Amino acid sequence: MRSTTDDFEEFARACTPHLYRTAWLLTGDRHHAEDLVQETLAKMFRAWRGLQRIRNPPSYAQTVLARTFISQRRRRSWTEQPTSRLPERAERLGDADLRVALQKALAELAPLDRAVLVLRFFEDRSVEQVALDLGRKTGAIRTRTSRALDRLRVVLGDGAVDLIAL
């Protein structure tokens, strides 16, 4: 029989790429995203034995990630920069202009607004799932989504049309 640690390691290997993608969209920074994923996995590991009754651990991990992100942003130290040097090589995943525009636009939003938009549209979750993940009512999520999209449109300005066309 496999140990709980082996089960968790398998879970972590399978979930990390998806968690990282979400974390990057939330934070807009590779280093902060890695830290957020690491903290999420640490919390999941501490609770792993008690999670046997949870039907969908990857979804629960996304919930932990979103709530950890919002909690981090409430702390004063969240703006800490791990390094001032540029990476040795740039990442070349997808359209760079789209990624930069999206990163800048998301950075202008409040952490909860950003979390709602990322979970709703990039993670393709329903309003009900996002409400459950963030501990809010569905009506509040609908309102927050609408207002956050309005703020995003203001931040993107004319660039919003280019993003929609892609």
Side-chain angles (χ1 to χ4, degrees):
M1 184 166 186
R2 295 176 53 166
S3 73
T4 348
T5 304
D6 291 341
D7 289 341
F8 180 78
E9 287 177 7
E10 183 179 316
F11 164 79
R13 273 194 288 285
C15 278
T16 296
H18 191 68
L19 288 172
Y20 176 78
R21 178 178 160 260
T22 303
W24 185 85
L25 287 167
L26 289 171
T27 64
D29 177 81
R30 181 176 64 138
H31 299 288
H32 286 142
E34 289 170 353
D35 291 344
L36 182 57
V37 170
Q38 183 175 7
E39 188 171 342
T40 299
L41 290 174
K43 288 179 179 182
M44 291 293 293
F45 182 72
R46 284 192 301 268
W48 188 250
R49 288 185 187 189
L51 295 178
Q52 305 270 337
R53 66 186 180 278
I54 292 182
R55 292 184 185 168
N56 191 350
S59 179
Y60 183 75
Q62 289 288 336
T63 299
V64 170
L65 184 120
R67 289 182 179 180
T68 301
F69 166 74
I70 291 169
S71 294
Q72 282 180 346
R73 293 303 162 117
R74 289 183 182 139
R75 288 186 233 147
R76 290 179 186 244
S77 64
W78 76 268
T79 57
E80 196 173 302
Q81 294 295 320
T83 183
S84 62
R85 294 182 305 141
L86 292 174
E88 291 179 15
R89 61 184 171 94
E91 292 181 26
R92 298 184 189 267
L93 303 173
D95 184 2
D97 293 335
L98 173 62
R99 290 188 321 129
V100 169
L102 183 59
Q103 181 182 359
K104 285 181 181 179
L106 287 172
E108 296 288 324
L109 301 178
L112 186 57
D113 289 345
R114 187 186 307 187
V116 167
L117 291 181
V118 167
L119 292 174
R120 284 279 292 122
F121 300 108
F122 293 99
E123 295 301 322
D124 198 28
R125 292 188 179 203
S126 68
V127 171
E128 292 76 18
Q129 288 171 321
V130 174
L132 184 64
D133 289 348
L134 299 178
R136 307 273 198 239
K137 294 184 179 187
T138 56
I141 295 300
R142 283 189 186 95
T143 301
R144 176 124 352 225
T145 301
S146 175
R147 290 180 182 165
L149 284 172
D150 289 343
R151 287 184 197 106
L152 194 63
R153 286 183 191 104
V154 168
V155 171
L156 289 173
D158 294 334
V161 174
D162 297 334
L163 291 175
I164 293 169
L166 292 176

